[in-house]
Amino acid sequence: MKNLLAATLVAAACGGALAQNHAPVPAPHKPAALCASCGVVQQVHQEKRKGKGGAAGIIGGAVVGGLLGHQIGGGTGNTLATVGGAAAGGYAGNEVQKRVNSKTVWVTRVRMRDGSTRTFEQEARPGWSAGQAVRVHQNNTLTRR
């Protein structure tokens, strides 16, 4: 009987030790899933955008072009040169105004959770880089996730 009691105690002690050595193994860490309005930045780069032309550039260029054209020829040729100079000057003045009003923007290309790609522009340097997760807000702005 003592042997049976001793065997039972040994078995209980061994079973407890085995239970301690076989603690549940935690599941491997999974990266956080992207939200429905989230994506991963694919590329960030700068681009130069032409500004808008306007009346000031057109009128200023037309006046200068017309004055220069008026210096050429006489009679009907002078009238044609004045009109041609004004037209060319108006076009050139508009292009100059576009260049003066140009700006540099930061372009961010994002691959969304659904697999689509979206492009976002902003004037300030973004606080994210390629490979980082971002969230798209309703006003089409991005924030780091």
Side-chain angles (χ1 to χ4, degrees), residues 51-62 89-99 101:
K52 292 185 178 183
I58 294 171
I59 292 170
Y91 175 78
N94 191 41
E95 289 301 308
V96 167
Q97 187 175 10
K98 286 179 185 179
R99 284 191 180 85
N101 292 334

Side-chain angles (χ1 to χ4, degrees), residues 9 11 19 28 40 59 73 76 78 81 92 95 115 119 123 134 140 143 145:
L9 288 173
V40 176
I59 292 170
T76 306
N78 181 273
E95 289 301 308
T119 303
E123 291 184 22
V134 291
N140 279 330
T143 55
R145 188 156 185 268

Side-chain angles (χ1 to χ4, degrees), residues 111-143:
R111 176 158 314 274
M112 301 303 294
R113 180 177 160 198
D114 65 4
S116 64
T117 301
R118 294 181 60 187
T119 303
F120 301 88
E121 290 186 10
Q122 63 188 65
E123 291 184 22
R125 183 182 190 116
W128 49 79
S129 58
Q132 292 182 319
V134 291
R135 178 182 300 254
V136 180
H137 297 279
Q138 288 181 352
N139 60 354
N140 279 330
T141 59
L142 297 174
T143 55

Side-chain angles (χ1 to χ4, degrees), residues 31-32 34 39-44 108-111 127-134 144-145:
L34 291 176
V40 176
V41 175
Q42 300 297 300
Q43 180 184 42
V44 179
T108 302
R109 193 176 75 214
V110 178
R111 176 158 314 274
W128 49 79
S129 58
Q132 292 182 319
V134 291
R144 272 180 68 179
R145 188 156 185 268

Side-chain angles (χ1 to χ4, degrees), residues 7 19 22 26 30 33 37 44 50 55 63 69 74 88 100 116 123 131 137:
H22 292 290
K30 293 182 183 176
S37 63
V44 179
K50 258 188 182 181
V63 168
V100 167
S116 64
E123 291 184 22
H137 297 279

